[in-house]
Amino acid sequence: MKTIGLIGGLSWESSAEYYHIINQAAQRRLGGLHSAECLMFSFDFGEIEALQAAGDWAAATARMVSAARRLARGGAGCIVICSNTMHRMAADVEAAVDLPLIHIADATARPIVAAGYERVGLLGTRFTMEQDFYKGRMVERFGLDVLIPEEAGRDIVHRVIYEELVRGEIRAESRRAYQAVIYELNAAGAQAVILGCTEIGLLIKPEDSSLPSYDTTALHALAALDWALSD
């Protein structure tokens, strides 16, 4: 088994999900008392969120590169950024260490394409929904047409992430608000929806969505385990 290097704390709520999913799947696949070999560097998310809010992506990139190098020195065999938003600097992180980076957009897009979907809705932070680092990769590498909510919907999705989900707060009224946004994406032609923030899966389960949903946390975590168990 190869060692997975996780950059977490983005937030710790979703990092805990990564750890749980990876190890639960390892035990299921290998049986007995097996679990995954992994290392995690976990940020103080308050510091990272302040850099995001200030638009200081250069400083955020430097922090991410430093974390990847620490994992590499510790013996990690790959890098997994436990956040959709922080894949904004995925290329810089990958260039800084001689390790493969398991990209969350790739892990998400592959099963969507395999299912035959062409138009997908995307929920996430405002950075993920509005900037091109995530959508552009899905368009260029996988040929997907990626739809995002209208301005009001983007405001709701972003606010709930930062004011509730990263704090571990799960509210029924926020679930209903997300369901309304997903319904609007459906009406706009989306065939499926990407839960493109690693905390959204805490709020929206498959049964809560009017569209087939793709939880990036679960898909990314399982892709990391696939890598760890591969030859």
Side-chain angles (χ1 to χ4, degrees):
M1 185 188 302
K2 293 174 284 189
T3 303
I4 302 167
L6 302 156
I7 301 179
L10 302 164
S11 66
W12 75 262
E13 292 282 348
S14 61
S15 300
E17 290 295 303
Y18 270 87
Y19 189 77
H20 179 79
I21 292 165
I22 288 170
N23 284 291
Q24 185 179 60
Q27 196 281 328
R28 185 169 59 247
R29 294 187 194 183
L30 300 176
L33 300 179
H34 287 289
S35 57
E37 292 185 7
C38 56
L39 300 172
M40 180 181 287
F41 177 89
S42 188
F43 280 107
D44 174 355
F45 186 59
E47 296 177 359
I48 298 300
E49 187 279 331
L51 295 175
Q52 292 176 344
D56 193 349
W57 296 105
T61 298
R63 297 289 302 276
M64 294 288 287
V65 165
S66 175
R69 286 174 172 160
R70 292 172 72 170
L71 288 171
R73 289 196 300 270
C78 75
I79 299 295
V80 175
I81 300 173
C82 301
S83 162
N84 287 273
T85 296
M86 299 305 278
H87 274 73
R88 189 182 193 277
M89 58 280 295
D92 297 282
V93 171
E94 189 169 24
V97 293
D98 189 23
L99 297 176
L101 182 141
I102 300 174
H103 202 291
I104 197 168
D106 297 350
T108 303
R110 288 188 186 106
I112 292 173
V113 171
Y117 299 125
E118 298 176 351
R119 301 192 80 195
V120 293
L122 173 63
L123 305 182
T125 67
R126 184 173 287 279
F127 313 114
T128 300
M129 291 186 288
E130 296 179 354
Q131 296 177 16
D132 195 52
F133 66 91
Y134 193 92
K135 295 181 296 181
R137 190 177 180 100
M138 291 197 155
V139 171
E140 293 166 11
R141 297 198 175 203
F142 298 94
L144 291 171
D145 184 9
V146 182
L147 309 179
I148 62 173
E150 299 292 335
E151 176 72 23
R154 297 199 300 273
D155 285 344
I156 290 168
V157 172
H158 183 88
R159 179 190 61 76
V160 168
I161 291 167
Y162 281 93
E163 295 183 9
E164 300 172 22
L165 300 183
V166 300
R167 303 170 186 265
E169 297 178 13
I170 309 300
R171 301 180 183 177
E173 61 269 27
S174 296
R175 181 177 295 110
R176 289 191 292 270
Y178 269 52
Q179 288 173 319
V181 173
I182 293 170
Y183 183 82
E184 291 172 2
L185 288 169
N186 189 355
Q191 300 165 303
V193 64
I194 297 169
L195 308 184
C197 175
T198 52
E199 286 82 22
I200 294 178
L202 301 171
L203 179 69
I204 298 295
K205 306 300 181 186
E207 62 270 19
D208 298 319
S209 176
S210 57
L211 287 170
S213 61
Y214 288 81
D215 182 355
T216 55
T217 305
L219 292 169
H220 198 204
L222 293 174
L225 182 64
D226 286 342
W227 173 87
L229 297 179
S230 66
D231 295 332

